[in-house]
Amino acid sequence: MKINTAEFKISSARLDQCPATMIPEYAFIGRSNVGKSSLINMLTGRSALAKTSSTPGKTLLINHFIINDEWFLVDLPGYGFAKRSKKEREELRKMIERYVTRREQLTNLFVLIDSRLRPQTIDLEFIRFLGEAGVPFSIIFTKADKNKRGVLKSNVQGFLATLKEEWEELPPYFISSSTSKLGREDILNYIEQINGSLQQDEAI
């Protein structure tokens, strides 16, 4: 897939403020500081489309970006940022939960996992929640370039092995690097493939 246009559309604090269209939406979410904004900028080829920061937990709203006037890329708040108040964490949790479980336009949720780390409980619990709620999702292992030789493969295989303890079938997964653009073509082609299937279904 070639990205010709990528434009910010709207930021929403509530589900009912999201765009009232039936355009497919591909949302990105992950633990705070997983590299989500950098990944979004890498995928779209726009260096400042999503605001990056060294401070975790900067994304507080549901941000919609229209891509090629065909589909929405949705930047969701990160989960598990401990430095927020209990009330703020609960409000963010409800916002995320409502979007991923009630948004009819959500076509696929990309869950970002830091490839430098061993399986984190918070990531596993979120993925378990998605499975129980029937949310279609895929996994993107981020920051692949920041691993020492052999560590990337070991951590990815370790995470997948942990998932296999509960899942009969693993979700699609990708390995990415915002620096080297590793995974960009595979992720965009995956989105293009799903969009093509949706268009075929509509034509029937």
Side-chain angles (χ1 to χ4, degrees):
M1 176 193 294
K2 182 179 180 181
I3 302 295
N4 297 312
T5 59
E7 300 175 359
F8 170 76
K9 183 70 173 179
I10 191 174
S11 290
S12 308
R14 302 193 313 268
L15 181 62
D16 60 7
Q17 295 175 339
C18 292
T21 71
M22 291 309 295
I23 296 176
E25 296 183 5
Y26 295 85
F28 291 74
I29 195 170
R31 189 170 47 82
S32 295
N33 206 31
V34 76
K36 177 165 53 69
S37 295
S38 296
L39 176 72
I40 289 173
N41 291 337
M42 181 269 283
L43 290 176
T44 59
R46 308 296 191 272
S47 61
L49 188 70
K51 294 181 180 179
T52 60
S53 173
S54 59
T55 304
K58 293 295 286 186
T59 304
L60 300 176
L61 303 171
I62 302 170
N63 297 306
H64 278 74
F65 302 90
I66 185 70
I67 309 298
N68 291 346
D69 292 322
E70 295 177 349
W71 54 278
F72 277 119
L73 185 157
V74 183
D75 184 6
L76 294 174
Y79 53 80
F81 185 51
K83 291 186 179 181
R84 299 203 182 283
S85 69
K86 184 177 180 180
K87 181 179 180 181
E88 286 178 319
R89 292 199 304 270
E90 181 63 15
E91 288 176 350
L92 281 174
R93 185 192 67 78
K94 289 181 179 178
M95 177 200 295
I96 292 169
E97 184 175 306
R98 286 170 183 150
Y99 175 84
V100 302
T101 60
R102 301 182 187 178
R103 183 67 171 168
E104 294 182 13
Q105 295 89 333
L106 177 61
T107 304
N108 188 76
L109 179 67
F110 288 101
V111 181
L112 277 56
I113 303 295
D114 191 332
S115 68
R116 301 173 300 175
L117 306 177
R118 296 293 183 181
Q120 302 292 298
T121 299
I122 190 171
D123 292 324
L124 297 171
E125 289 178 346
F126 185 72
I127 288 175
R128 184 181 300 116
F129 157 72
L130 295 177
E132 293 173 350
V135 178
F137 74 95
S138 307
I139 294 173
I140 299 178
F141 292 97
T142 63
K143 304 185 180 183
D145 61 294
K146 299 184 183 299
N147 286 282
K148 294 181 180 179
R149 182 177 298 178
V151 175
L152 173 64
K153 183 177 180 180
S154 175
N155 285 351
V156 169
Q157 289 182 342
F159 193 92
L160 296 177
T162 303
L163 286 185
K164 285 181 180 179
E165 295 175 4
E166 297 185 18
W167 293 73
E168 293 184 4
E169 183 177 348
L170 291 176
Y173 68 92
F174 306 88
I175 297 174
S176 74
S177 164
S178 298
T179 302
S180 67
K181 297 185 179 181
L182 174 68
R184 182 178 190 270
E185 185 174 344
D186 290 338
I187 295 168
L188 291 178
N189 286 344
Y190 180 67
I191 293 173
E192 185 175 44
Q193 180 182 355
I194 296 176
N195 281 339
S197 297
L198 292 175
Q199 292 172 358
Q200 288 182 349
D201 292 342
E202 291 176 357
I204 296 176

